[in-house]
Short mmCIF file of all heavy atoms in Angstrom, two decimals:
data_model
loop_
_atom_site.label_atom_id
_atom_site.label_comp_id
_atom_site.label_asym_id
_atom_site.label_seq_id
_atom_site.Cartn_x
_atom_site.Cartn_y
_atom_site.Cartn_z
N MET W 1 0.84 -1.19 0.00
CA MET W 1 0.00 0.00 0.00
C MET W 1 0.88 1.25 0.00
O MET W 1 1.88 1.31 0.69
CB MET W 1 -0.90 -0.02 1.24
CG MET W 1 -1.86 1.11 1.28
SD MET W 1 -3.03 0.83 2.66
CE MET W 1 -3.85 2.36 2.61
N MET W 2 0.48 2.24 -0.79
CA MET W 2 1.24 3.47 -0.90
C MET W 2 1.04 4.35 0.32
O MET W 2 -0.06 4.43 0.86
CB MET W 2 0.78 4.25 -2.13
CG MET W 2 1.82 4.33 -3.22
SD MET W 2 1.37 5.48 -4.52
CE MET W 2 0.10 4.60 -5.37
N ALA W 3 2.12 5.03 0.73
CA ALA W 3 1.99 5.99 1.82
C ALA W 3 1.12 7.15 1.35
O ALA W 3 0.96 7.38 0.15
CB ALA W 3 3.36 6.49 2.24
N LYS W 4 0.58 7.87 2.31
CA LYS W 4 -0.36 8.95 2.00
C LYS W 4 0.20 9.98 1.01
O LYS W 4 -0.50 10.47 0.15
CB LYS W 4 -0.76 9.63 3.31
CG LYS W 4 -2.04 10.39 3.24
CD LYS W 4 -2.41 10.91 4.61
CE LYS W 4 -3.85 11.34 4.65
NZ LYS W 4 -4.24 11.82 5.95
N ASN W 5 1.49 10.32 1.14
CA ASN W 5 2.04 11.37 0.28
C ASN W 5 2.74 10.83 -0.96
O ASN W 5 3.34 11.59 -1.70
CB ASN W 5 3.00 12.26 1.08
CG ASN W 5 4.19 11.48 1.62
OD1 ASN W 5 4.22 10.26 1.56
ND2 ASN W 5 5.16 12.20 2.14
N GLU W 6 2.67 9.53 -1.20
CA GLU W 6 3.26 8.96 -2.40
C GLU W 6 2.17 8.81 -3.46
O GLU W 6 1.11 8.28 -3.19
CB GLU W 6 3.87 7.59 -2.10
CG GLU W 6 5.10 7.67 -1.23
CD GLU W 6 5.67 6.29 -0.95
OE1 GLU W 6 5.24 5.31 -1.58
OE2 GLU W 6 6.54 6.22 -0.09
N ASN W 7 2.46 9.29 -4.64
CA ASN W 7 1.49 9.21 -5.73
C ASN W 7 2.16 8.61 -6.95
O ASN W 7 3.34 8.85 -7.19
CB ASN W 7 0.96 10.61 -6.08
CG ASN W 7 0.17 11.21 -4.95
OD1 ASN W 7 -0.86 10.70 -4.57
ND2 ASN W 7 0.68 12.28 -4.37
N SER W 8 1.41 7.86 -7.71
CA SER W 8 1.96 7.31 -8.94
C SER W 8 2.16 8.46 -9.94
O SER W 8 1.52 9.51 -9.86
CB SER W 8 1.02 6.27 -9.53
OG SER W 8 -0.10 6.90 -10.12
N GLU W 9 3.04 8.24 -10.87
CA GLU W 9 3.30 9.25 -11.90
C GLU W 9 2.01 9.59 -12.65
O GLU W 9 1.75 10.74 -12.97
CB GLU W 9 4.37 8.74 -12.85
CG GLU W 9 4.85 9.79 -13.83
CD GLU W 9 6.04 9.33 -14.64
OE1 GLU W 9 6.82 8.52 -14.15
OE2 GLU W 9 6.16 9.82 -15.78
N GLU W 10 1.19 8.56 -12.91
CA GLU W 10 -0.07 8.78 -13.61
C GLU W 10 -1.00 9.69 -12.81
O GLU W 10 -1.61 10.60 -13.37
CB GLU W 10 -0.76 7.44 -13.89
CG GLU W 10 -2.03 7.58 -14.68
CD GLU W 10 -2.69 6.24 -14.96
OE1 GLU W 10 -1.98 5.21 -14.95
OE2 GLU W 10 -3.91 6.23 -15.20
N GLN W 11 -1.10 9.46 -11.50
CA GLN W 11 -1.95 10.30 -10.66
C GLN W 11 -1.46 11.74 -10.68
O GLN W 11 -2.26 12.68 -10.78
CB GLN W 11 -1.96 9.79 -9.22
CG GLN W 11 -2.71 8.50 -9.03
CD GLN W 11 -2.51 7.94 -7.63
OE1 GLN W 11 -1.40 7.91 -7.11
NE2 GLN W 11 -3.59 7.51 -7.02
N VAL W 12 -0.15 11.92 -10.59
CA VAL W 12 0.41 13.27 -10.61
C VAL W 12 0.13 13.94 -11.94
O VAL W 12 -0.28 15.10 -11.99
CB VAL W 12 1.94 13.23 -10.32
CG1 VAL W 12 2.56 14.59 -10.52
CG2 VAL W 12 2.18 12.73 -8.90
N ASP W 13 0.29 13.21 -13.04
CA ASP W 13 0.02 13.78 -14.37
C ASP W 13 -1.43 14.24 -14.49
O ASP W 13 -1.71 15.30 -15.03
CB ASP W 13 0.30 12.74 -15.47
CG ASP W 13 1.79 12.53 -15.70
OD1 ASP W 13 2.60 13.35 -15.22
OD2 ASP W 13 2.13 11.53 -16.36
N VAL W 14 -2.35 13.43 -13.98
CA VAL W 14 -3.77 13.78 -14.05
C VAL W 14 -4.04 15.07 -13.27
O VAL W 14 -4.73 15.97 -13.76
CB VAL W 14 -4.64 12.62 -13.51
CG1 VAL W 14 -6.08 13.08 -13.29
CG2 VAL W 14 -4.61 11.45 -14.47
N VAL W 15 -3.47 15.18 -12.09
CA VAL W 15 -3.69 16.37 -11.27
C VAL W 15 -3.05 17.60 -11.92
O VAL W 15 -3.67 18.66 -12.02
CB VAL W 15 -3.15 16.18 -9.83
CG1 VAL W 15 -3.18 17.48 -9.06
CG2 VAL W 15 -3.98 15.12 -9.12
N VAL W 16 -1.84 17.47 -12.40
CA VAL W 16 -1.15 18.60 -13.05
C VAL W 16 -1.95 19.07 -14.25
O VAL W 16 -2.18 20.26 -14.43
CB VAL W 16 0.29 18.21 -13.45
CG1 VAL W 16 0.90 19.26 -14.36
CG2 VAL W 16 1.14 18.03 -12.21
N GLU W 17 -2.38 18.13 -15.08
CA GLU W 17 -3.17 18.51 -16.26
C GLU W 17 -4.45 19.22 -15.85
O GLU W 17 -4.84 20.23 -16.43
CB GLU W 17 -3.48 17.28 -17.10
CG GLU W 17 -4.10 17.64 -18.42
CD GLU W 17 -4.20 16.44 -19.34
OE1 GLU W 17 -3.19 15.75 -19.53
OE2 GLU W 17 -5.30 16.22 -19.88
N CYS W 18 -5.11 18.69 -14.84
CA CYS W 18 -6.36 19.27 -14.37
C CYS W 18 -6.12 20.70 -13.86
O CYS W 18 -6.85 21.62 -14.22
CB CYS W 18 -6.96 18.41 -13.26
SG CYS W 18 -8.51 19.05 -12.63
N VAL W 19 -5.10 20.88 -13.05
CA VAL W 19 -4.83 22.19 -12.46
C VAL W 19 -4.42 23.19 -13.53
O VAL W 19 -4.91 24.32 -13.57
CB VAL W 19 -3.74 22.08 -11.38
CG1 VAL W 19 -3.25 23.46 -10.97
CG2 VAL W 19 -4.26 21.34 -10.17
N LEU W 20 -3.53 22.80 -14.40
CA LEU W 20 -2.96 23.75 -15.36
C LEU W 20 -3.80 23.95 -16.61
O LEU W 20 -3.73 25.00 -17.23
CB LEU W 20 -1.55 23.31 -15.75
CG LEU W 20 -0.55 23.27 -14.60
CD1 LEU W 20 0.81 22.82 -15.11
CD2 LEU W 20 -0.43 24.62 -13.92
N VAL W 21 -4.60 22.95 -16.99
CA VAL W 21 -5.36 23.06 -18.23
C VAL W 21 -6.84 23.27 -18.00
O VAL W 21 -7.47 24.10 -18.63
CB VAL W 21 -5.13 21.80 -19.12
CG1 VAL W 21 -5.94 21.88 -20.39
CG2 VAL W 21 -3.66 21.65 -19.43
N TYR W 22 -7.40 22.52 -17.06
CA TYR W 22 -8.84 22.52 -16.91
C TYR W 22 -9.34 23.24 -15.67
O TYR W 22 -10.52 23.18 -15.36
CB TYR W 22 -9.36 21.07 -16.89
CG TYR W 22 -8.99 20.32 -18.13
CD1 TYR W 22 -8.05 19.30 -18.09
CD2 TYR W 22 -9.54 20.65 -19.36
CE1 TYR W 22 -7.69 18.61 -19.24
CE2 TYR W 22 -9.18 19.97 -20.51
CZ TYR W 22 -8.26 18.96 -20.43
OH TYR W 22 -7.91 18.28 -21.58
N SER W 23 -8.45 23.93 -14.97
CA SER W 23 -8.85 24.63 -13.76
C SER W 23 -9.87 25.72 -14.09
O SER W 23 -9.71 26.45 -15.07
CB SER W 23 -7.63 25.27 -13.10
OG SER W 23 -8.04 26.01 -11.97
N PRO W 24 -10.93 25.84 -13.29
CA PRO W 24 -11.93 26.86 -13.55
C PRO W 24 -11.41 28.27 -13.30
O PRO W 24 -12.09 29.25 -13.59
CB PRO W 24 -13.07 26.51 -12.59
CG PRO W 24 -12.43 25.73 -11.51
CD PRO W 24 -11.28 25.00 -12.14
N GLY W 25 -10.22 28.41 -12.76
CA GLY W 25 -9.63 29.72 -12.63
C GLY W 25 -9.82 30.39 -11.29
O GLY W 25 -9.75 31.61 -11.20
N ASP W 26 -10.06 29.65 -10.23
CA ASP W 26 -10.13 30.21 -8.89
C ASP W 26 -8.81 30.93 -8.61
O ASP W 26 -7.76 30.31 -8.59
CB ASP W 26 -10.36 29.07 -7.89
CG ASP W 26 -10.27 29.52 -6.44
OD1 ASP W 26 -10.16 30.73 -6.19
OD2 ASP W 26 -10.31 28.65 -5.56
N PRO W 27 -8.84 32.25 -8.41
CA PRO W 27 -7.60 33.02 -8.24
C PRO W 27 -6.71 32.53 -7.10
O PRO W 27 -5.50 32.50 -7.24
CB PRO W 27 -8.09 34.44 -7.98
CG PRO W 27 -9.45 34.50 -8.57
CD PRO W 27 -10.02 33.11 -8.42
N GLU W 28 -7.30 32.13 -5.98
CA GLU W 28 -6.48 31.65 -4.86
C GLU W 28 -5.77 30.35 -5.21
O GLU W 28 -4.59 30.19 -4.92
CB GLU W 28 -7.33 31.46 -3.62
CG GLU W 28 -7.67 32.75 -2.91
CD GLU W 28 -8.42 32.50 -1.59
OE1 GLU W 28 -8.41 31.35 -1.11
OE2 GLU W 28 -9.00 33.45 -1.08
N SER W 29 -6.48 29.43 -5.83
CA SER W 29 -5.87 28.16 -6.23
C SER W 29 -4.78 28.40 -7.26
O SER W 29 -3.70 27.81 -7.19
CB SER W 29 -6.92 27.22 -6.81
OG SER W 29 -7.84 26.85 -5.82
N ARG W 30 -5.08 29.24 -8.21
CA ARG W 30 -4.09 29.54 -9.26
C ARG W 30 -2.85 30.14 -8.64
O ARG W 30 -1.73 29.78 -9.00
CB ARG W 30 -4.69 30.50 -10.28
CG ARG W 30 -3.77 30.79 -11.44
CD ARG W 30 -4.37 31.80 -12.40
NE ARG W 30 -3.55 31.98 -13.57
CZ ARG W 30 -2.41 32.68 -13.61
NH1 ARG W 30 -1.97 33.26 -12.52
NH2 ARG W 30 -1.73 32.78 -14.72
N GLU W 31 -3.01 31.04 -7.68
CA GLU W 31 -1.87 31.68 -7.03
C GLU W 31 -1.01 30.65 -6.30
O GLU W 31 0.22 30.71 -6.35
CB GLU W 31 -2.36 32.76 -6.06
CG GLU W 31 -1.30 33.73 -5.63
CD GLU W 31 -0.75 34.59 -6.76
OE1 GLU W 31 -1.47 34.83 -7.76
OE2 GLU W 31 0.41 35.01 -6.65
N ARG W 32 -1.64 29.68 -5.63
CA ARG W 32 -0.88 28.64 -4.93
C ARG W 32 -0.10 27.79 -5.94
O ARG W 32 1.05 27.42 -5.69
CB ARG W 32 -1.80 27.76 -4.10
CG ARG W 32 -2.28 28.45 -2.84
CD ARG W 32 -2.96 27.49 -1.89
NE ARG W 32 -4.17 26.89 -2.42
CZ ARG W 32 -5.39 27.42 -2.32
NH1 ARG W 32 -5.56 28.58 -1.70
NH2 ARG W 32 -6.43 26.80 -2.83
N VAL W 33 -0.72 27.48 -7.07
CA VAL W 33 -0.04 26.69 -8.10
C VAL W 33 1.15 27.48 -8.65
O VAL W 33 2.25 26.95 -8.81
CB VAL W 33 -1.01 26.30 -9.23
CG1 VAL W 33 -0.27 25.70 -10.41
CG2 VAL W 33 -2.07 25.34 -8.71
N VAL W 34 0.95 28.76 -8.91
CA VAL W 34 2.03 29.60 -9.42
C VAL W 34 3.19 29.63 -8.43
O VAL W 34 4.35 29.45 -8.82
CB VAL W 34 1.52 31.04 -9.71
CG1 VAL W 34 2.67 31.99 -9.95
CG2 VAL W 34 0.58 31.03 -10.91
N HIS W 35 2.90 29.82 -7.16
CA HIS W 35 3.97 29.86 -6.15
C HIS W 35 4.71 28.52 -6.08
O HIS W 35 5.94 28.49 -5.95
CB HIS W 35 3.42 30.25 -4.78
CG HIS W 35 3.11 31.70 -4.67
ND1 HIS W 35 4.07 32.68 -4.73
CD2 HIS W 35 1.93 32.35 -4.52
CE1 HIS W 35 3.51 33.87 -4.62
NE2 HIS W 35 2.20 33.69 -4.50
N ALA W 36 3.98 27.41 -6.17
CA ALA W 36 4.61 26.09 -6.13
C ALA W 36 5.52 25.90 -7.35
O ALA W 36 6.63 25.38 -7.23
CB ALA W 36 3.55 25.00 -6.07
N ILE W 37 5.05 26.32 -8.52
CA ILE W 37 5.86 26.19 -9.73
C ILE W 37 7.11 27.05 -9.64
O ILE W 37 8.21 26.62 -9.98
CB ILE W 37 5.02 26.54 -10.98
CG1 ILE W 37 3.98 25.45 -11.23
CG2 ILE W 37 5.92 26.71 -12.21
CD1 ILE W 37 2.97 25.79 -12.30
N LEU W 38 6.95 28.27 -9.15
CA LEU W 38 8.11 29.16 -9.02
C LEU W 38 9.13 28.62 -8.01
O LEU W 38 10.34 28.70 -8.24
CB LEU W 38 7.67 30.57 -8.63
CG LEU W 38 6.89 31.32 -9.71
CD1 LEU W 38 6.40 32.65 -9.17
CD2 LEU W 38 7.74 31.51 -10.96
N ALA W 39 8.65 28.04 -6.93
CA ALA W 39 9.56 27.44 -5.94
C ALA W 39 10.32 26.28 -6.58
O ALA W 39 11.54 26.14 -6.39
CB ALA W 39 8.78 26.97 -4.72
N TRP W 40 9.61 25.45 -7.33
CA TRP W 40 10.26 24.34 -8.02
C TRP W 40 11.28 24.86 -9.03
O TRP W 40 12.40 24.35 -9.12
CB TRP W 40 9.21 23.47 -8.70
CG TRP W 40 9.81 22.42 -9.59
CD1 TRP W 40 10.32 21.21 -9.20
CD2 TRP W 40 10.00 22.49 -10.99
NE1 TRP W 40 10.80 20.54 -10.30
CE2 TRP W 40 10.62 21.31 -11.41
CE3 TRP W 40 9.70 23.47 -11.96
CZ2 TRP W 40 10.94 21.05 -12.74
CZ3 TRP W 40 10.02 23.22 -13.28
CH2 TRP W 40 10.64 22.03 -13.66
N ALA W 41 10.92 25.90 -9.77
CA ALA W 41 11.81 26.46 -10.79
C ALA W 41 13.11 26.98 -10.18
O ALA W 41 14.18 26.81 -10.76
CB ALA W 41 11.10 27.59 -11.54
N GLU W 42 13.02 27.58 -9.00
CA GLU W 42 14.22 28.07 -8.33
C GLU W 42 15.14 26.92 -7.92
O GLU W 42 16.35 27.06 -7.95
CB GLU W 42 13.84 28.89 -7.09
CG GLU W 42 13.26 30.24 -7.43
CD GLU W 42 12.88 31.03 -6.19
OE1 GLU W 42 13.33 30.67 -5.07
OE2 GLU W 42 12.12 32.00 -6.33
N GLU W 43 14.55 25.80 -7.55
CA GLU W 43 15.34 24.64 -7.11
C GLU W 43 15.90 23.84 -8.29
O GLU W 43 16.87 23.10 -8.13
CB GLU W 43 14.48 23.73 -6.24
CG GLU W 43 14.07 24.34 -4.93
CD GLU W 43 13.14 23.44 -4.13
OE1 GLU W 43 13.05 22.23 -4.44
OE2 GLU W 43 12.50 23.96 -3.20
N HIS W 44 15.26 23.96 -9.45
CA HIS W 44 15.64 23.14 -10.61
C HIS W 44 15.75 24.01 -11.87
O HIS W 44 14.98 23.83 -12.81
CB HIS W 44 14.60 22.04 -10.83
CG HIS W 44 14.35 21.22 -9.62
ND1 HIS W 44 15.18 20.19 -9.24
CD2 HIS W 44 13.38 21.27 -8.69
CE1 HIS W 44 14.72 19.65 -8.13
NE2 HIS W 44 13.63 20.30 -7.76
N PRO W 45 16.69 24.95 -11.90
CA PRO W 45 16.75 25.91 -13.03
C PRO W 45 16.96 25.26 -14.39
O PRO W 45 16.38 25.72 -15.38
CB PRO W 45 17.91 26.83 -12.66
CG PRO W 45 18.70 26.09 -11.64
CD PRO W 45 17.74 25.19 -10.93
N ASP W 46 17.76 24.20 -14.47
CA ASP W 46 17.98 23.56 -15.78
C ASP W 46 16.70 22.90 -16.29
O ASP W 46 16.36 23.03 -17.47
CB ASP W 46 19.11 22.52 -15.69
CG ASP W 46 20.46 23.17 -15.42
OD1 ASP W 46 20.62 24.38 -15.68
OD2 ASP W 46 21.37 22.45 -14.95
N GLU W 47 16.00 22.20 -15.40
CA GLU W 47 14.74 21.58 -15.79
C GLU W 47 13.71 22.64 -16.16
O GLU W 47 12.93 22.47 -17.09
CB GLU W 47 14.20 20.71 -14.66
CG GLU W 47 15.02 19.46 -14.41
CD GLU W 47 14.47 18.66 -13.25
OE1 GLU W 47 13.28 18.31 -13.29
OE2 GLU W 47 15.24 18.41 -12.30
N TRP W 48 13.71 23.75 -15.43
CA TRP W 48 12.78 24.84 -15.70
C TRP W 48 13.02 25.41 -17.08
O TRP W 48 12.08 25.65 -17.85
CB TRP W 48 12.92 25.92 -14.63
CG TRP W 48 12.13 27.15 -14.94
CD1 TRP W 48 12.61 28.38 -15.23
CD2 TRP W 48 10.69 27.27 -14.98
NE1 TRP W 48 11.58 29.25 -15.46
CE2 TRP W 48 10.40 28.60 -15.31
CE3 TRP W 48 9.65 26.37 -14.78
CZ2 TRP W 48 9.09 29.06 -15.44
CZ3 TRP W 48 8.35 26.84 -14.91
CH2 TRP W 48 8.09 28.16 -15.23
N ASP W 49 14.29 25.62 -17.44
CA ASP W 49 14.61 26.16 -18.77
C ASP W 49 14.12 25.22 -19.87
O ASP W 49 13.54 25.66 -20.86
CB ASP W 49 16.12 26.39 -18.90
CG ASP W 49 16.61 27.55 -18.06
OD1 ASP W 49 15.79 28.38 -17.62
OD2 ASP W 49 17.84 27.63 -17.84
N ALA W 50 14.33 23.92 -19.68
CA ALA W 50 13.88 22.94 -20.67
C ALA W 50 12.35 22.93 -20.74
O ALA W 50 11.77 22.86 -21.82
CB ALA W 50 14.42 21.55 -20.32
N PHE W 51 11.71 23.00 -19.59
CA PHE W 51 10.25 23.02 -19.53
C PHE W 51 9.70 24.25 -20.26
O PHE W 51 8.78 24.16 -21.07
CB PHE W 51 9.81 23.02 -18.07
CG PHE W 51 8.33 23.04 -17.87
CD1 PHE W 51 7.56 21.92 -18.14
CD2 PHE W 51 7.69 24.18 -17.41
CE1 PHE W 51 6.18 21.94 -17.96
CE2 PHE W 51 6.32 24.20 -17.21
CZ PHE W 51 5.57 23.08 -17.50
N GLN W 52 10.29 25.40 -19.99
CA GLN W 52 9.85 26.63 -20.66
C GLN W 52 10.00 26.53 -22.17
O GLN W 52 9.12 26.94 -22.91
CB GLN W 52 10.66 27.83 -20.16
CG GLN W 52 10.16 28.43 -18.90
CD GLN W 52 10.84 29.76 -18.64
OE1 GLN W 52 12.06 29.82 -18.52
NE2 GLN W 52 10.06 30.81 -18.54
N ALA W 53 11.11 25.98 -22.62
CA ALA W 53 11.35 25.84 -24.06
C ALA W 53 10.29 24.94 -24.70
O ALA W 53 9.76 25.27 -25.76
CB ALA W 53 12.75 25.29 -24.31
N ARG W 54 9.98 23.80 -24.05
CA ARG W 54 8.94 22.90 -24.59
C ARG W 54 7.59 23.59 -24.64
O ARG W 54 6.85 23.49 -25.61
CB ARG W 54 8.85 21.63 -23.74
CG ARG W 54 9.93 20.62 -24.01
CD ARG W 54 9.62 19.27 -23.40
NE ARG W 54 9.18 19.32 -22.02
CZ ARG W 54 9.99 19.28 -20.96
NH1 ARG W 54 11.29 19.19 -21.13
NH2 ARG W 54 9.50 19.31 -19.74
N CYS W 55 7.25 24.31 -23.57
CA CYS W 55 5.95 24.99 -23.53
C CYS W 55 5.87 26.07 -24.60
O CYS W 55 4.83 26.24 -25.24
CB CYS W 55 5.72 25.60 -22.15
SG CYS W 55 5.41 24.36 -20.88
N GLN W 56 6.96 26.79 -24.79
CA GLN W 56 6.98 27.85 -25.81
C GLN W 56 6.77 27.25 -27.19
O GLN W 56 6.01 27.79 -28.00
CB GLN W 56 8.30 28.62 -25.74
CG GLN W 56 8.32 29.85 -26.61
CD GLN W 56 7.31 30.91 -26.19
OE1 GLN W 56 7.05 31.09 -25.01
NE2 GLN W 56 6.74 31.59 -27.14
N GLN W 57 7.42 26.12 -27.46
CA GLN W 57 7.27 25.47 -28.77
C GLN W 57 5.82 25.04 -28.98
O GLN W 57 5.28 25.21 -30.06
CB GLN W 57 8.18 24.24 -28.86
CG GLN W 57 9.64 24.60 -29.02
CD GLN W 57 10.53 23.39 -28.95
OE1 GLN W 57 10.11 22.28 -28.59
NE2 GLN W 57 11.80 23.58 -29.25
N ARG W 58 5.21 24.48 -27.95
CA ARG W 58 3.81 24.05 -28.09
C ARG W 58 2.89 25.23 -28.28
O ARG W 58 1.92 25.18 -29.01
CB ARG W 58 3.39 23.25 -26.85
CG ARG W 58 4.01 21.90 -26.80
CD ARG W 58 3.55 21.12 -25.60
NE ARG W 58 4.19 19.82 -25.59
CZ ARG W 58 4.14 19.00 -24.56
NH1 ARG W 58 3.48 19.33 -23.47
NH2 ARG W 58 4.75 17.84 -24.62
N HIS W 59 3.19 26.33 -27.59
CA HIS W 59 2.36 27.53 -27.69
C HIS W 59 2.44 28.13 -29.08
O HIS W 59 1.45 28.64 -29.62
CB HIS W 59 2.81 28.55 -26.63
CG HIS W 59 1.99 29.80 -26.63
ND1 HIS W 59 0.68 29.83 -26.17
CD2 HIS W 59 2.27 31.05 -27.04
CE1 HIS W 59 0.21 31.05 -26.30
NE2 HIS W 59 1.15 31.81 -26.82
N GLU W 60 3.64 28.10 -29.68
CA GLU W 60 3.83 28.70 -30.99
C GLU W 60 3.44 27.78 -32.14
O GLU W 60 3.27 28.24 -33.25
CB GLU W 60 5.31 29.09 -31.17
CG GLU W 60 5.72 30.22 -30.24
CD GLU W 60 7.21 30.52 -30.30
OE1 GLU W 60 7.96 29.75 -30.92
OE2 GLU W 60 7.61 31.54 -29.72
N ALA W 61 3.29 26.49 -31.86
CA ALA W 61 2.93 25.53 -32.90
C ALA W 61 1.56 25.87 -33.47
O ALA W 61 0.63 26.19 -32.73
CB ALA W 61 2.95 24.11 -32.34
N PRO W 62 1.41 25.78 -34.77
CA PRO W 62 0.10 26.06 -35.37
C PRO W 62 -0.93 25.03 -34.92
O PRO W 62 -0.64 23.85 -34.79
CB PRO W 62 0.34 25.95 -36.87
CG PRO W 62 1.65 25.27 -37.04
CD PRO W 62 2.41 25.41 -35.75
N ALA W 63 -2.11 25.51 -34.65
CA ALA W 63 -3.19 24.63 -34.16
C ALA W 63 -3.80 23.84 -35.28
O ALA W 63 -3.81 24.21 -36.41
CB ALA W 63 -4.26 25.47 -33.48
#
């Protein structure tokens, strides 16, 4: 049995997608997500740079 704070990669992916893509836009929730992402980015600058580059490419890709 998994410990309370251990989540499978699939579970984490579902939550991340839900929060970042399908969130109804509650400003308080969004602000907490932004702060968590910024904290992670400060701890992992190389991963953050790669993540930003991938997101930028997807954003600029023709729909």
Side-chain angles (χ1 to χ4, degrees):
M1 184 172 173
M2 248 190 287
K4 201 174 196 179
N5 62 350
E6 291 180 10
N7 295 296
S8 74
E9 188 172 331
E10 183 179 337
Q11 289 171 316
V12 172
D13 286 346
V14 167
V15 171
V16 168
E17 188 171 309
C18 180
V19 168
L20 298 180
V21 178
Y22 302 110
S23 177
D26 172 7
E28 283 186 15
S29 294
R30 184 183 186 284
E31 196 65 26
R32 285 192 297 272
V33 170
V34 167
H35 284 295
I37 290 171
L38 291 175
W40 172 81
E42 287 179 16
E43 294 176 16
H44 307 279
D46 293 340
E47 291 178 55
W48 173 246
D49 289 344
F51 180 73
Q52 276 191 300
R54 282 194 312 271
C55 290
Q56 188 64 35
Q57 287 173 349
R58 288 182 180 169
H59 182 71
E60 293 174 350

